[in-house]
Amino acid sequence: MSEKFVVGYDGSDVAKRALDFAVSRAKAQGGSILIVHVLEWSPYSFLTPQELEERHARRTEELERAEKALMSPLKSTIAAAGVPVETQIKYGHVAKTLCDIAKKEGATQMVIGRDGDGGLSSRVFGSVAGSLVQVAPVPCTIVP
Amino acid sequence: MTRLVPTAVLAACFTFMAALSASAQSIDETINSIFASSTGWFVTLIFSNFPGTSFPWIVGWLVVAATVFTVYFGVIQFRAFGHAIALVKGDYSDPDDAGEVSHFQALATALSGTVGLGNIAGVAVAIGIGGPGATFWMILAGLLGMASKFTECTLGVKYRNEYANGTVSGGPMYYLTKGFAERGMPGGRFLAIMFSIFCILGAFGGGNMFQANQAHAQLTNVFGPYPGFITGIIFAGIVFAVIVGGLKSIARVTEKVVPIMGVIYVGTALIIILMNYDMIGWAFGQIFAGAFTGLGVAGGFVGALIQGFRRAAFSNEAGVGSAAIAHSAVRTKEPITEGFVSLLEPLIDTVIVCTMTALVIIITGQLISDPETGLYLLNEAGTAIRTVGDTSGVALTSAAFSSSIGGFKYILALAVILFAFSTMISWSYYGLKAWTYLFGEGKAQELTFKSIFCVFVVIGASASLGPVIDFSDAAIFAMAVVNIIGLYVLMPIVKRELDSYWSRLKSGEIRKFT
């Protein structure tokens, strides 16, 4: 069975390093890459009536923007390196969504970056990398 | 037009400010008398009694409708209750629709428009006039109202407009026109226009002036008396910044804090009730006895009934049609699912939150009764029950809470301001939808409405409670007159949706995703 790497990607420098790491491993092992961009979203948040009305339109815009700015440029460069690549853009809780996709797509490994910035918010709410270490359904590599 | 309106508003504000030093109190009086005399006829029309009785026809109208829907849909409020909870939790939501408006969000937004001063001040008005018995009728009206809400919100989603740019607009004006056309009935367009007119008045009344009025009442309760138009201008300024200036940060903070305040409010009420646990049995005794005898209140048990139904309808807006506007943005393939979810709204608003307020007022002994007869003593005019501090409206609720937990009036003042504010934001939106339905979409039309809306904030804070509450009720009930005619005509369509969905749910065709 060939390796399938799920890579969490948000366009940051660490995300790029994580992706480079995954691409080099996939190339060496003859595996493929699935890049996932998760837009943080909770169905239990509170919106104003105006925001409700525009939500569908905003979502469409956000998806298009993410596809254009983040995903499209990657596809061609990684495909050019000879590694099969797919992309997905999802809404939800970042760590949970990454795990769901890894299970659903039959991934064998996950790779994400961490910013190593132990700020107050990540102390209180936890970080994506920290959560994945605990709940990832497949081996998970965290790239510093 | 675009430039004229804000200038006019500013000019009005400056005029007020200039007059401030001259004679502050007389401005309030002038506003009050002009307002009361110009709206009196409308109030009389809506609240006229059935010939030969002292029973307002509008209250009968709402109760009969809620009862008809309850029977027609086979007590849907209890049958679909569990399924409604599952829908709100997201058990039936397609994960691929993440990022769209969830059932929870539609419900939460609709609730922040309905949970407001009706629950805090309105209940105090009901108990103050109708006695504890009004609580019984209020709860009954809340339970029956769930069926009205179910009907209107299903239709709101089914007949909403989805525009090419991805935005949606829904509400009674759309189901009245499209639904009537589908059934081959004339008059849909006429009803939609009437609804829109009343909705605009309702937005100015219950969704605005009543809120500003009671927010000011609570502020003077805490800080001592000062002229109402000052509160009005400050409130109007903030509302203006949010709805015209697009200051999303304020709206966003309010949307987050309001639910927390709601929990604090209900939590505190529960604590007070539990502190006086030995009185709970007595309080319910008063509620039941008052519901059928009146215990000496003006108008006897009919007086209690009218107050209970009136304040319940004002608080949960079931049958009024406003909630259909807020609920219609949800992402769902089945309109009926939003109907199920909306069932929970009168339950939370009236059966839970309103009852808490009522119990606290009764248990803390704010109402003065004759120790010998057990009947309540009326004030000199004979219109309301005498209270400990001679209070009414929000001040009565505040006195009740503070008598058990000193200093709670400060927290209540904050809650009142936030509830008032979030209700105003919601109603400014409902009113705007009706306004643009009448006058067309466009920046100039929107700005005109929003500017007038802000002027009414000032009027509401300045006028006295009596005329404001009468006009607010009248406008909101006028919406119900039109809306309920529509619901009667369109209820077979809801029935068809319900039967189809329910059989697919039972057969397992509609399944949970999780």
Side-chain angles (χ1 to χ4, degrees), chain A residues 41-57 59 90-91, chain B residues 89 96 98-102 104-105 108-109 165-168 252 259 331 429 433:
Chain A
W41 170 260
S42 164
Y44 307 115
S45 58
F46 293 90
L47 304 175
T48 63
Q50 188 73 38
E51 286 173 311
L52 290 190
E53 174 186 320
E54 294 168 354
R55 186 60 223 151
H56 181 66
R59 181 180 186 265
K90 292 282 178 191
Y91 280 84
Chain B
K89 277 168 63 194
D96 285 339
E100 303 278 8
V101 177
S102 66
F104 178 91
Q105 284 164 333
T109 304
N165 68 2
T167 58
V168 288
R252 216 163 267 157
R331 184 70 173 178
Y429 178 80
K433 288 283 114 183

Side-chain angles (χ1 to χ4, degrees), chain A residues 37 39 51 53-70 89 91, chain B residues 98-100 163-167 248:
Chain A
H37 176 57
L39 296 145
E51 286 173 311
E53 174 186 320
E54 294 168 354
R55 186 60 223 151
H56 181 66
R58 294 276 164 278
R59 181 180 186 265
T60 314
E61 276 173 25
E62 286 162 11
L63 289 175
E64 277 169 11
R65 204 183 315 137
E67 176 64 33
K68 209 169 142 203
L70 289 178
I89 306 170
Y91 280 84
Chain B
E100 303 278 8
Y163 300 106
N165 68 2
T167 58
K248 285 210 176 119

